[in-house]
Amino acid sequence: MAWALVPAAPRLISALGLRRLVLSRPVHISLFITCYNDTLFPRTGRAVVAVLERLGHTIEFRQAQTCCGQMHYNTGYQAEAMPLMRHFLEVFRDDETICIPSSSCVAMIRDHYPKMAAASGDSAVARAVEKLLPRIFEFSELLVDKLGVIDVGAFFPHSVTLHPSCHSLRSLHLGDKPERLLKQVRGLTLIDLPEATECCGFGGTFAIKNVEVSAAMLSDKLRCVLGTRAEVCTAADNSCLMHIWGGLSRQRTGVRCLHLAEILASTEAGEVS
Amino acid sequence: MSVRVGEAATAPEFPVAAKKLVSNAQIRQNVRRATDIIRNKRARVVEEVDDWEQLRRAGHEIKEHVLRHLDFYLQQFEAACTRAGGVVHWASDAAEANRIIVDLIRAHEATEVIKVKTMTSDEIRLNPALQAAGITPYETDLADLIVQLGEDQPSHIVVPALHRNRMEIRRIFSEKMNLPELGYEPEDLTAAARAYLREKFLRVPIAISGGNFAIAETGSVCVVESEGNGRMCLSLPRVLITLIGIEKIIPKFRDLEVFLQLLPRSATGERMNPYNSIWTGVSPGSGPREFHVVLLDNGRTNVLADDFSRETLDCIRCGACLNACPVYRQTGGHAYGSVYAGPIGAILTPQLQAMQHSQSLPYASSLCGACYEVCPVKINIPEILVHLRGRVVEEGHAPIVERLAMKAAGYALETPERLSLAQKAARIAQIPFTHDGVIRRLPGMLAGWTAVRDLAPIPKQSFREWWAKRQKEPRL
């Protein structure tokens, strides 16, 4: 008789609110905040900490951390990116689980560190990169794949649209992970973004070196965001959001941009300040 | 050897050219409409192929194999083509290729040639070379005809006149074909082109073609097209001259199985091209009596020598990356200052032609990855763009202000202490530019950002400061 209950067990666990307890044993998580979140979006970092601690995990923040080297690497300054990679490898050498709330930085590490390591000709660096890759997780990967949670107990009574971001889509292949997390947030209305997979036009130094084209791409993205009439535009990348917000603010649209973590950190008590 | 790629040596930098095009409402509308249609068609017909990913991998591997053994396959092609009655010529650069072709035409005392779509001929600027030699070239592909009569440049690899709408085409045809009463329905325009071209097909004795594939095993050449003008050019004239880049070689006839599935679906969203012409040398009593192949290097062997970007030469010129590219879709092809536009042009042009002529092209991308996703032969375009950016910097072509800024940023990011200091300094530096909690104008390089976007000021406390403070507080 008891066997008959087995297929229903996950639903039962979920219904009893035990999912978090059963699936995610406390994990010690090292946070790579990324240099621009550290400087420009510290609130995203506080939100990541709030969500993970609420789920019962512990956070390590290594003060020695700086930058993954993405800006230098992608702009053609590969030599300058090399010491940044070496520094990153050194700082996070012993951490089992590393959370990075930025798809583009994760993509930098996954897609380019192996090539940089090979180019360095240093076999110790190559080994360090090889050992690093399975230990890094973008924030929604960490929640869904590693910790097995989609309901993080958030409350956010607003309409939201999700910009899936190029690196999330085409490099990390996050798929519907961000959507699944958002759909569990109480009070939240998720509105599909038309032409969602189109780039917003940020592209790092592209936004400055090719202002006109970047601006044209941004205006297409804004048209789609505004068309949803959502109050908030979210993404797994603050770099895209900085760009989209820059346009929304310039046009005095009143639409906010919030990193996915900031929505997931919100509760009945309010948003992360 | 002097390599030239169309007008790329004298073209303006990409951002300069793009600025003009972005404010041209008509071109943007035309490009958007056309690329939307093609990429939606492509998505539908790719979806229905179960083994699409395997085909892409096969296409990539065949091309990579060829590039690693190009010397062997080129000689095999030459031998097979010669056996079948063709004549093979080798051209190391544009000037040599033009000279060979002009000499061949002069040997027949001809003053006119018909042409079937060949981007390679635009690369070597064959038409101006022919005209300088007193030879009139007639483009017979509908889009190329529009470009030629409009005294324009192609803006797309597959659909060169995609920046034109039918009203513009009507105006061009009406003026240049002297048809004041011409209607503006697509049927009217094609009928006009048909009448104009038919006379040329029947009269002109020499044709020039490109080639999609050259088959080493048999010495055959393959051209795919949609309008039948190719078939006319390949079969009616007495003499056929085919110009192909040396990277167009495939080893065996059966390799077409892969490419004739990948190419039409990626290029025009068709399951199969309406016309697939494959010919081998000359056949007595049928088709041209004389057949010449000009094999063109024009910088390709330099690309071959670069391990990181060699796969640029895998390209089968389908144009899917152009239709997918959000940058190309805003500007159209003219911004790239080269016959090769879009993402593939941004990596091909600067490699064929010396980097200093086209250093802005590797930066003409937001690295969104849409090109790589649709490429039928899996050319990792974003990776090659970044590699070429590295070469631009290494060869000293990057602006001095940028170099200094990057050096300074690299220095600041090397240790957390320096990063903290830089954060504090930036917080002070932003004060004069911050009004009512928003930055609306910044100086220097950053002015580009605030030209069209606001910036939120750097918050008072960095994350690392917040964390350090939090660690000191007693926790409940």
Side-chain angles (χ1 to χ4, degrees):
Chain A
M1 275 306 280
W3 284 110
L5 287 172
V6 171
R11 209 176 303 161
L12 205 64
I13 288 165
S14 175
L16 293 171
L18 296 173
R19 192 179 163 84
R20 265 177 267 157
L21 298 176
V22 173
L23 289 175
S24 64
R25 285 189 300 271
V27 175
H28 191 57
I29 297 158
S30 180
L31 175 63
F32 174 56
I33 186 66
T34 79
C35 63
Y36 68 84
N37 279 330
D38 181 20
T39 311
L40 295 162
F41 302 97
R43 199 174 57 189
T44 297
R46 296 197 289 275
V48 169
V49 172
V51 172
L52 295 175
E53 287 187 345
R54 192 164 77 216
L55 294 171
H57 307 293
T58 51
I59 311 290
E60 172 89 41
F61 179 78
R62 300 200 178 277
Q63 286 281 359
Q65 64 180 267
T66 59
C67 167
C68 66
Q70 184 191 182
M71 178 182 71
H72 285 96
Y73 189 85
N74 279 350
T75 313
Y77 294 80
Q78 278 109 17
E80 279 80 1
M82 194 66 90
L84 299 177
M85 175 181 81
R86 285 177 182 272
H87 182 73
F88 184 99
L89 292 171
E90 180 58 34
V91 172
F92 292 98
R93 194 184 53 204
D94 299 322
D95 294 331
E96 283 304 313
T97 307
I98 303 157
C99 173
I100 308 179
S102 160
S103 291
S104 65
C105 301
V106 175
M108 168 68 199
I109 295 167
R110 280 197 195 141
D111 295 347
H112 301 311
Y113 273 19
K115 276 177 297 167
M116 287 171 68
S120 78
D122 184 338
S123 61
V125 169
R127 270 198 309 280
V129 169
E130 202 183 314
K131 278 174 62 191
L132 171 73
L133 295 190
R135 298 182 286 131
I136 58 164
F137 298 88
E138 181 279 329
F139 182 59
S140 64
E141 285 176 344
L142 178 75
L143 291 173
V144 178
D145 297 341
K146 170 82 179 172
L147 304 176
V149 210
I150 53 165
D151 183 353
V152 298
F155 174 75
F156 191 73
H158 300 284
S159 54
V160 174
T161 193
L162 172 75
H163 167 60
S165 98
C166 300
H167 286 102
S168 304
L169 274 173
R170 288 180 276 264
S171 177
L172 271 52
H173 303 286
L174 287 189
D176 63 353
K177 281 166 207 161
E179 273 106 321
R180 283 164 65 197
L181 290 160
L182 287 169
K183 279 182 180 155
Q184 298 300 319
V185 176
R186 277 167 296 115
L188 186 148
T189 313
L190 187 63
I191 308 174
D192 282 340
L193 180 67
E195 300 169 44
T197 59
E198 290 289 306
C199 176
C200 74
F202 174 61
T205 46
F206 173 79
I208 291 175
K209 287 168 95 78
N210 277 288
V211 181
E212 299 293 325
V213 181
S214 169
M217 290 160 73
L218 176 60
S219 81
D220 283 348
K221 184 56 75 180
L222 296 184
R223 180 173 45 76
C224 294
V225 170
L226 294 173
T228 66
R229 313 200 125 219
E231 298 163 73
V232 175
C233 176
T234 189
D237 267 281
N238 270 333
S239 45
C240 314
L241 287 179
M242 180 168 79
H243 192 232
I244 295 171
W245 181 86
L248 289 169
S249 168
R250 176 58 57 94
Q251 296 181 22
R252 317 297 199 268
T253 60
V255 178
R256 290 198 290 160
C257 286
L258 288 176
H259 189 280
L260 178 67
E262 295 177 43
I263 292 177
L264 298 183
S266 302
T267 61
E268 276 85 347
E271 297 179 17
V272 175
S273 59
Chain B
M1 192 172 91
S2 83
V3 174
R4 61 156 54 250
V5 183
E7 310 284 349
T10 52
E13 301 253 295
F14 182 85
V16 176
K19 184 173 183 170
K20 242 177 154 170
L21 289 157
V22 163
S23 37
N24 185 328
Q26 185 68 69
I27 284 196
R28 279 181 75 178
Q29 186 66 25
N30 297 350
V31 172
R32 177 66 56 93
R33 245 181 78 87
T35 50
D36 271 345
I37 292 170
I38 308 173
R39 70 183 198 167
N40 291 342
K41 270 175 79 181
R42 177 207 163 267
R44 275 201 302 278
V45 297
V46 163
E47 185 78 7
E48 66 189 25
V49 182
D50 291 334
D51 59 349
W52 184 254
E53 281 311 309
Q54 279 163 281
L55 279 171
R56 286 178 80 205
R57 265 202 303 281
H60 181 77
E61 277 163 24
I62 294 168
K63 282 288 191 172
E64 287 296 296
H65 170 80
V66 169
L67 294 179
R68 272 159 211 284
H69 305 281
L70 195 55
D71 51 345
F72 170 80
Y73 285 117
L74 281 167
Q75 286 175 17
Q76 195 187 13
F77 173 81
E78 182 184 34
C81 182
T82 311
R83 258 200 314 277
V87 184
V88 176
H89 308 261
W90 300 83
S92 63
D93 60 17
E96 193 177 357
N98 286 332
R99 201 162 53 239
I100 293 168
I101 295 170
V102 166
D103 287 349
L104 284 171
I105 298 166
R106 279 188 172 152
H108 288 86
E109 293 174 354
T111 55
E112 293 176 311
V113 290
I114 46 175
K115 287 180 71 195
V116 53
K117 188 167 168 25
T118 149
M119 295 301 293
T120 316
S121 81
D122 293 330
E123 174 186 326
I124 63 170
R125 302 185 73 245
L126 176 63
N127 286 1
L130 292 176
Q131 276 155 341
I135 300 161
T136 310
Y138 298 108
E139 296 289 350
T140 67
D141 174 272
L142 182 55
D144 279 330
L145 178 66
I146 296 165
V147 169
Q148 189 184 29
L149 293 180
E151 293 166 34
D152 199 359
Q153 296 291 323
S155 68
H156 191 285
I157 293 174
V158 177
V159 271
L162 123 161
H163 58 292
R164 297 288 202 186
N165 65 16
R166 64 179 151 135
M167 297 314 287
E168 296 172 285
I169 296 166
R170 188 206 161 268
R171 186 178 49 71
I172 295 168
F173 280 10
S174 166
E175 275 173 27
K176 296 293 164 79
M177 296 177 184
N178 196 20
L179 300 167
E181 305 295 316
L182 183 63
Y184 53 80
E185 292 301 327
E187 291 80 1
D188 300 328
L189 302 176
T190 36
R194 217 177 145 82
Y196 177 84
L197 291 171
R198 185 59 55 110
E199 184 264 328
K200 314 272 183 296
F201 287 134
L202 295 173
R203 182 167 54 79
V204 178
I206 301 184
I208 295 172
S209 88
N212 292 97
F213 307 101
I215 303 154
E217 173 188 48
T218 58
S220 315
V221 179
C222 171
V223 163
V224 301
E225 38 118 13
S226 307
E227 296 164 18
N229 64 304
R231 183 66 59 80
M232 298 272 206
C233 289
L234 302 171
S235 54
L236 285 174
R238 283 202 310 275
V239 181
L240 173 61
I241 304 168
T242 296
L243 171 70
I244 27 184
I246 51 172
E247 83 284 15
K248 289 292 172 69
I249 297 273
I250 58 173
K252 291 183 186 308
F253 198 84
R254 62 166 294 179
D255 296 327
L256 285 175
E257 173 207 342
V258 173
F259 294 108
L260 291 185
Q261 291 188 74
L262 289 172
L263 180 55
R265 287 177 198 262
S266 301
T268 47
E270 292 167 305
R271 297 190 179 98
M272 194 178 168
N273 286 96
Y275 293 90
N276 295 271
S277 302
I278 304 168
W279 70 97
T280 310
V282 287
S283 318
S286 160
R289 265 154 273 171
E290 216 178 278
F291 170 50
H292 299 269
V293 177
V294 180
L295 291 170
L296 176 75
D297 182 345
N298 204 31
R300 284 159 176 78
T301 43
N302 299 339
V303 187
L304 206 57
D306 188 330
D307 281 337
F308 285 101
S309 57
R310 178 186 300 132
E311 68 181 29
T312 308
L313 297 177
D314 292 359
C315 178
I316 55 172
R317 306 284 191 270
C318 72
C321 62
L322 282 68
N323 306 327
C325 177
V327 174
Y328 175 87
R329 279 159 56 80
Q330 302 292 353
T331 63
H334 293 164
Y336 296 80
S338 162
V339 290
Y340 302 118
I344 188 65
I347 62 171
L348 184 58
T349 308
Q351 290 189 82
L352 289 182
Q353 186 147 310
M355 192 72 79
Q356 68 263 24
H357 291 310
S358 34
Q359 43 171 289
S360 66
L361 288 178
Y363 292 96
S365 164
S366 65
L367 304 178
C368 82
C371 49
Y372 181 36
E373 199 175 47
V374 297
C375 177
V377 288
K378 290 178 81 93
I379 302 172
N380 194 332
I381 297 176
E383 213 174 273
I384 297 173
L385 285 165
V386 170
H387 168 69
L388 295 177
R389 290 175 184 190
R391 275 181 52 191
V392 170
V393 172
E394 212 174 280
E395 293 174 19
H397 303 305
I400 179 81
V401 184
E402 178 190 295
R403 285 211 300 266
L404 290 173
M406 285 291 171
K407 277 261 180 283
Y411 179 80
L413 289 166
E414 234 167 83
T415 72
E417 294 79 16
R418 288 183 212 156
L419 174 56
S420 289
L421 266 176
Q423 287 169 338
K424 289 193 179 86
R427 251 178 251 148
I428 296 166
Q430 72 183 356
I431 293 171
F433 304 101
T434 311
H435 303 285
D436 304 322
V438 184
I439 298 172
R440 297 224 152 94
R441 243 170 99 177
L442 282 169
M445 267 171 72
L446 296 172
W449 181 275
T450 49
V452 286
R453 325 156 182 96
D454 289 347
L455 188 66
I458 299 171
K460 287 197 180 69
Q461 192 182 41
S462 68
F463 180 82
R464 66 180 65 238
E465 287 164 343
W466 174 78
W467 182 268
K469 198 165 160 232
R470 184 183 194 245
Q471 293 306 91
K472 284 187 202 132
E473 283 168 6
R475 304 276 293 280
L476 295 175

